């Protein structure tokens, strides 16, 4: 490749980067700008001085700490639960023969075809009848067991199918039963697939918006996406500086984890069950 | 306890097992392992799917306290709903715009990053990073940037261009929501395309080059056919995903101006949970399901034409 072509490619990449990088940069820097800087025109790329006062206002205006904990624990429980449910079902569908297997797999696969928005009305009624609206149960149970976990089960099944038969035969000769083989031999091998399932399950739960606003009505039970839109003044206009500080706090933890584990992150997502 | 299990083991060793043969025990373990997922699918997918059809046959307004069987009345209402034309147009424009822009940009970025250049990992990280920013946070920032006196117009102003009030014009609002969503998520498709591109054997390109094929011919005759399974997969994911977009619209435009960004899911939410017409909301859910199912089946059918090889 000639130098000119290389330079042109770099220039193109740099220009294309702007809409991907600028918003995040803007969010983080604006959260520590004084309010006059936020509305500066043309926009200031770096803060003229640092003002962290909006960060404390985030916690004064709403039970933000509680809301942060809600999002974190719900995402953690959903992630661990989905990994368990999907690994078990994926293994059974891939490696065990039992009567009715294909029909049952099709029954489960229907979940892939149904966006959760289609079933939100009846799910709301079901949880309402069970007295579980305005609790976190719908946000935990449905993702772990319902349609969102079907994709995870499918990915785990695709992974387990690729394992060689000899592995399980060897485990069996060594005296392990089905459960032992699954837990001690197969599951440790499935770490890449489990990692990818964990990443996208966590992100999915962290971003969930429709379900929380349908199911929850008490601010102390809100999750972060829902809480972010509540920083408004008495007239309903957004308090931009506070919103940007709160938004930064919800975005940064994941970005930091991502930067630290960038390789595994991207490759995990790219190589999961997408080879055929 | 150990005594008992010893005796059981002894028995098992001396006598052939009649009932708990290995296939039977395997089957039992299989059923046990799939039971949580199966129960969840029945309880949270199939049952609600049945209920949504049942509800769509009821006149059910929570505010008015009515719940009665009305047969196909909700469907008649759907056909006569003066908003439906606009809702379906917005949905179609949004989906088409999103899918075309997303796939084209994802493939372009993937090809750029597949070149033998230094620093591609760095750029890959940058293009991927919006995927990790939480959705509502991302949307809020863009809402600020797209205001009349926001950052986007500030940048345009620096280049001497007078930007419009993006979220207040019907065309620009729809365009804005599409672009905000594409930039947020294109990194995922880019990564999938990159993985696929790296699976294309380099020798094929070299051979084609020796035969005198130009870059464009090599792209059309080698790259596209070999990555076609990934194109199919990403297009299915993106089409279905485009029909589910909700948070961006709820935060950016609330369906406006007018109804220019009221896509089907947002309309469904308004009818069911803001106006409390649950029966009509259920009818709209059935429509959404039919559209998603039809599009998925269509793409699956088309795979024979599109997809060069399937392993």
């Amino acid at each position: 490749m000639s130098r000119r072509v290389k330079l042109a490619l770099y220039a193109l990449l740099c220009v294309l980067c702007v809409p991907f990088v600028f918003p995040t940069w803007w969010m983080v820097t604006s959260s520590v700008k004084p309010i006059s800087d936020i509305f500066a025109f043309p926009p200031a790329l770096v803060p003229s001085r640092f003002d962290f006062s909006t960060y404390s206002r985030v916690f004064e205006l709403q039970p933000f700490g509680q809301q942060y904990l809600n999002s974190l624990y719900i995402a953690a429980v959903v992630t661990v639960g989905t990994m368990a449910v999907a690994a078990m079902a994926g293994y059974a569908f891939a490696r065990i023969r039992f009567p009715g297997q294909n029909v049952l797999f099709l029954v489960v696969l229907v979940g892939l075809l149904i966006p959760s928005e289609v079933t939100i009305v009846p799910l709301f009624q079901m949880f309402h009848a069970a007295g579980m609206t305005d609790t976190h149960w719908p946000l935990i149970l449905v993702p772990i067991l319902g349609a969102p976990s079907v994709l995870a089960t499918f990915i785990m099944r695709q992974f387990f199918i690729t394992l060689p038969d000899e592995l399980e035969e060897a485990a069996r000769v060594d005296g392990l039963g089905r459960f032992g083989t699954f837990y001690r031999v197969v599951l440790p091998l499935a770490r890449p697939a489990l990692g990818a399932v964990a990443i996208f399950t966590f992100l999915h739960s962290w971003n969930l918006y429709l379900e929380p606003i349908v199911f929850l009505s008490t601010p102390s039970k809100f999750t972060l996406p829902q809480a972010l839109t509540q920083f408004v003044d008495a007239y309903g206009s957004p308090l931009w500086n506070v919103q940007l500080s709160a938004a930064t706090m919800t975005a940064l933890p994941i970005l930091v984890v991502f930067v630290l584990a960038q390789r595994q992150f991207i490759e995990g997502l790219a190589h999961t069950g997408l080879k055929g | 306890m150990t005594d008992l299990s010893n005796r059981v083991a002894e028995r098992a060793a001396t006598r052939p097992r009649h009932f708990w043969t290995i296939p039977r025990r395997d089957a039992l373990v299989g059923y046990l392992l799939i039971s949580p997922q199966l129960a969840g699918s029945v309880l949270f997918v199939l049952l609600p799917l049945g209920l949504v059809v049942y509800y769509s046959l009821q006149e059910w307004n929570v505010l008015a306290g009515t719940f009665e069987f009305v047969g196909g009345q909700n469907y008649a209402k759907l056909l006569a709903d003066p908003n439906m034309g606009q809702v379906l147009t917005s949905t179609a424009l949004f989906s088409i715009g999103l899918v075309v822009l997303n796939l084209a940009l994802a493939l372009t970025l993937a090809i750029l990053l597949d070149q033998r250049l230094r620093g591609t990992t760095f750029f890959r990280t940058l293009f991927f990073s919006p995927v990790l920013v939480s959705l509502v946070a991302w949307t809020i920032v863009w809402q600020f940037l797209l205001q009349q006196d926001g950052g986007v117009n500030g940048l345009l102003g620096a280049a001497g261009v007078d930007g419009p009030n993006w979220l207040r014009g019907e065309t620009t609002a729809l365009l804005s929501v599409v672009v905000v969503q594409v930039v947020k998520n294109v990194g995922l498709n880019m990564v999938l395309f990159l993985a696929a591109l790296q699976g294309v054997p380099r020798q094929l390109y070299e051979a084609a080059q020796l035969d005198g094929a130009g870059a464009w011919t090599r792209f059309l005759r080698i790259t596209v056919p070999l990555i076609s399974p990934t194109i199919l997969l990403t297009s299915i994911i993106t089409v279905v995903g485009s029909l589910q977009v909700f948070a961006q619209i709820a935060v950016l435009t609330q369906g406006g101006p007018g109804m220019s960004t009221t896509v089907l899911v947002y309309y469904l939410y308004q009818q069911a949970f803001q106006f409390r017409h649950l029966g009509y909301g259920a009818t709209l859910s059935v429509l959404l399901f039919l559209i998603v199912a039809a599009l998925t089946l269509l793409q699956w059918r088309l795979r024979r034409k599109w997809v060069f090889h399937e392993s």
Side-chain angles (χ1 to χ4, degrees):
Chain A
M1 213 181 300
S2 74
R3 255 189 95 160
R4 269 202 183 168
V5 176
K6 269 190 185 170
L7 271 179
L9 282 179
Y10 279 123
L12 185 60
L13 283 171
C14 287
V15 172
L16 283 173
C17 256
V18 173
F20 291 83
V21 179
F22 183 69
T24 312
W25 171 262
W26 173 267
M27 172 179 74
V28 176
T29 54
S30 294
S31 71
V32 293
K33 279 178 196 165
I35 184 91
S36 57
D37 265 22
I38 293 182
F39 289 101
F41 196 78
L45 284 180
V46 273
S48 60
R49 65 186 166 82
F50 290 96
D51 177 0
F52 290 95
S53 63
T54 49
Y55 275 88
S56 54
R57 285 199 64 203
V58 169
F59 293 90
E60 287 158 18
L61 291 169
Q62 275 194 78
F64 195 71
Q66 178 68 46
Q67 292 161 341
Y68 214 103
L69 275 181
N70 293 343
S71 266
L72 272 178
Y73 103 81
I74 291 173
V77 170
V78 166
T79 304
V80 173
T82 303
M83 285 161 74
V85 167
M88 281 162 44
Y91 176 73
F93 281 125
R95 315 274 336 172
I96 303 179
R97 297 282 144 261
F98 50 89
Q101 185 166 34
N102 293 335
V103 178
L104 293 177
F105 188 55
L106 279 180
V107 166
V108 168
L109 276 190
V110 173
L112 276 186
L113 195 66
I114 300 182
S116 47
E117 291 77 8
V118 168
T119 50
I120 188 81
V121 172
L123 282 177
F124 177 78
Q125 284 309 311
M126 286 163 63
F127 281 104
H128 187 67
M132 288 186 191
T133 42
D134 207 24
T135 73
H136 291 149
W137 286 111
L139 308 181
I140 292 174
L141 289 178
V142 175
I144 293 181
L145 298 168
S149 73
V150 172
L151 181 63
T153 293
F154 185 72
I155 286 174
M156 293 311 296
R157 174 181 173 271
Q158 296 302 93
F159 175 83
F160 287 129
I161 282 178
T162 63
L163 290 182
D165 286 335
E166 292 80 28
L167 200 71
E168 276 165 290
E169 282 159 21
R172 185 153 289 194
V173 170
D174 286 348
L176 281 175
R178 271 291 182 186
F179 278 115
T181 313
F182 171 62
Y183 190 72
R184 299 222 188 131
V185 179
V186 175
L187 214 49
L189 286 172
R191 279 177 73 168
L194 281 172
V197 165
I199 293 165
F200 82 72
T201 308
F202 189 93
L203 287 178
H204 181 262
S205 173
W206 192 253
N207 282 329
L208 220 52
Y209 184 69
L210 174 66
E211 285 80 357
I213 67 171
V214 165
F215 285 115
L216 303 178
S217 48
T218 313
S220 66
K221 291 174 183 162
F222 282 2
T223 59
L224 286 176
Q226 200 178 2
L228 283 183
T229 59
Q230 309 287 316
F231 292 103
V232 289
D233 63 19
Y235 306 100
S237 309
L239 295 163
W240 285 113
N241 48 350
V242 186
Q243 272 198 350
L244 289 172
S245 303
T248 303
M249 280 189 266
T250 71
L252 272 189
I254 297 188
L255 275 178
V256 168
V257 171
F258 169 66
V259 168
L260 293 179
Q262 197 258 122
R263 253 194 116 71
Q264 294 86 321
F265 230 100
I266 292 186
E267 268 149 36
L269 283 178
H271 288 262
T272 301
L274 303 165
K275 286 178 180 163
Chain B
M1 187 65 200
T2 41
D3 190 44
L4 183 72
S5 54
N6 279 343
R7 256 190 288 161
V8 171
E10 254 176 53
R11 259 194 177 176
T14 50
R15 242 200 271 175
R17 266 174 237 145
H18 288 298
F19 188 75
W20 285 115
T21 54
I22 286 180
R24 283 211 171 108
R25 274 192 302 176
D26 265 11
L28 178 69
V29 173
Y31 291 129
L32 280 177
L33 288 179
I34 65 165
S35 54
Q37 176 76 91
L38 191 64
S41 280
V42 171
L43 191 60
F44 296 134
V45 179
L46 294 182
L47 175 63
L49 196 62
L51 279 176
V52 86
V53 176
Y54 170 70
Y55 290 164
S56 75
L57 303 173
Q58 316 288 328
E59 168 63 42
W60 181 8
N61 185 329
V62 174
L63 296 180
T66 54
F67 185 88
E68 53 175 322
F69 181 79
V70 292
Q73 253 180 48
N74 280 323
Y75 290 91
K77 183 178 167 188
L78 182 75
L79 291 175
D81 189 338
N83 292 326
M84 270 330 275
Q86 175 69 58
V87 169
L88 290 178
T89 312
S90 301
T91 309
L93 285 176
F94 178 81
S95 288
I96 293 168
L98 188 105
V99 171
V100 171
L101 202 61
N102 188 322
L103 292 183
L105 188 60
L107 193 52
T108 310
L109 291 176
I111 288 170
L112 280 176
L113 295 181
D114 195 36
Q115 305 302 315
R116 285 178 192 148
L117 276 180
R118 277 158 181 258
T120 48
T121 316
F122 173 71
F123 280 106
R124 187 176 71 164
T125 309
L126 294 187
F127 289 125
F128 192 81
S129 63
V131 174
L132 282 316
V133 177
S134 88
L135 178 60
V136 170
W138 177 258
T139 313
I140 282 176
V141 177
W142 275 96
Q143 189 188 9
F144 187 82
L145 292 175
L146 287 166
Q147 290 179 110
Q148 176 86 63
D149 55 355
V152 171
N153 283 350
L155 287 179
L156 284 177
V161 183
D162 236 1
N165 192 347
W166 296 94
L167 299 173
R168 294 274 183 273
E170 298 208 345
T171 324
T172 53
L174 191 68
L175 185 72
S176 301
V177 185
V178 169
V179 169
V180 169
Q181 169 67 3
V182 166
V183 175
K184 170 85 174 75
N185 267 344
V186 77
L188 276 175
N189 284 347
M190 175 194 79
V191 166
L192 298 181
F193 279 134
L194 254 175
L197 286 175
Q198 279 160 5
V200 179
R202 301 269 158 184
Q203 303 92 292
L204 286 180
Y205 291 117
E206 283 154 19
Q209 204 161 9
L210 285 179
D211 289 345
W216 183 243
T217 316
R218 273 175 282 156
F219 173 72
L220 278 186
R221 295 287 170 82
I222 300 174
T223 314
V224 171
L226 283 177
I227 66 168
S228 54
T230 306
I231 297 180
L232 177 74
L233 181 89
T234 48
S235 66
I236 291 181
I237 296 175
T238 313
V239 168
V240 175
S242 75
L243 289 166
Q244 291 175 265
V245 165
F246 173 78
Q248 298 85 322
I249 287 169
V251 174
L252 271 184
T253 63
Q254 280 100 50
M259 291 189 70
S260 57
T261 56
T262 303
V263 296
L264 189 51
V265 167
Y266 193 74
Y267 193 57
L268 191 170
Y269 168 77
Q270 284 185 318
Q271 289 293 332
F273 296 106
Q274 288 187 334
F275 310 140
R276 298 276 165 185
H277 296 302
L278 288 173
Y280 193 48
T283 313
L284 291 165
S285 307
V286 173
L287 177 66
L288 177 66
F289 171 64
L290 291 179
I291 293 176
V292 170
L295 283 175
T296 312
L297 279 180
L298 180 72
Q299 280 172 313
W300 197 243
R301 275 281 168 90
L302 282 175
R303 82 186 190 282
R304 285 214 186 99
K305 284 190 182 169
W306 283 5
V307 177
F308 176 66
H309 72 286
E310 278 185 309
S311 49

